[in-house]
Amino acid sequence: MTRKYGIADTTFSRVDMGSLVYKVIRSEDSEADIVRYTVPGIKDLPVAAKRLIDEGCDGVITLGWVGKTMLDKYSYLATSIGLIMVQILTSKHVIDVTVHEDEADDEEKLKEIAIDRATKHAKNLVKLVKEGKNALTKYAGKGLRQGYSNAGEID
Ligand SMILES: Cc1nc2c(=O)[nH]c(=O)nc-2n(C[C@H](O)[C@H](O)[C@H](O)CO)c1C
């Protein structure tokens, strides 16, 4: 059966992670169906993810961007709870890629974080959807990081 992936992204984001993730998923799973759903902001992502799963996606990746204010951070907290609820209700992975605008001061670094995080998590999603619960087991405890260099394992 053809695997189907959902990509939910926002117009609030300052980097087009959706187009990037589409290409990554396509290169990791060439036969897959990929559906993209773009919403205004992060709080709209939970329903987008749920609707993508309702239309047959085996897993979804959400691509959010959080501003610097406390209101933005509270919005993310609400979003995160919503995304976890979608996972629990559907028993499907919703991989939450979020870039927080205060992770870096300069725009180039923020873009670098976004590209690295989105790419690595898109690959994680494909592995989980293709191979299931032990797909990432060989990397367990390795201190892998998304958005940054890996922290590494403590011997
Ligand atoms: C305060 C706020 N902050 C963010 C944010 O940091 N990132 C983001 O993507 N969207 C934000 N939004 C918009 C909401 O997520 C949502 O799009 C609107 O409330 C419409 O439902 C809001 C309202």
Side-chain angles (χ1 to χ4, degrees):
M1 217 174 70
T2 313
R3 285 177 289 270
K4 190 169 174 178
Y5 300 88
I7 301 170
D9 63 348
T10 72
T11 57
F12 190 102
S13 175
R14 299 184 62 202
V15 174
D16 179 11
M17 293 182 279
S19 296
L20 168 72
V21 161
Y22 190 97
K23 287 184 200 145
V24 174
I25 294 174
R26 173 63 63 232
S27 77
E28 297 291 307
D29 197 349
S30 56
E31 303 293 308
D33 286 340
I34 307 172
V35 190
R36 187 169 172 182
Y37 188 160
T38 306
V39 293
I42 47 174
K43 286 193 290 180
D44 313 308
L45 288 173
V47 72
K50 174 76 164 48
R51 287 174 72 165
L52 286 167
I53 292 167
D54 289 347
E55 67 172 80
C57 288
D58 301 296
V60 171
I61 186 165
T62 60
L63 306 165
W65 190 281
V66 179
K68 292 180 180 173
T69 70
M70 277 315 291
L71 185 56
D72 297 323
K73 293 177 195 300
Y74 288 132
S75 295
Y76 175 65
L77 178 61
T79 300
S80 180
I81 294 167
L83 292 174
I84 291 165
M85 280 180 61
V86 172
Q87 295 187 83
I88 292 166
L89 290 172
T90 62
S91 291
K92 303 269 190 230
H93 284 292
V94 176
I95 300 287
D96 168 9
V97 172
T98 303
V99 177
H100 300 262
E101 194 142 354
D102 54 10
E103 284 187 80
D105 286 330
D106 78 280
E107 294 184 347
E108 274 315 301
K109 180 67 189 163
L110 270 177
K111 188 171 177 182
E112 212 178 277
I113 291 169
I115 289 170
D116 186 82
R117 186 166 296 156
T119 302
K120 288 174 176 172
H121 273 319
K123 290 179 180 175
N124 282 336
L125 176 67
V126 171
K127 284 195 177 78
L128 286 168
V129 167
K130 271 172 123 172
E131 298 164 42
K133 57 178 176 269
N134 289 126
L136 299 175
T137 305
K138 66 181 169 206
Y139 308 107
K142 301 290 182 204
L144 302 191
R145 296 290 182 270
Q146 296 78 32
Y148 302 98
S149 306
N150 293 333
E153 185 174 3
I154 300 173
D155 292 325

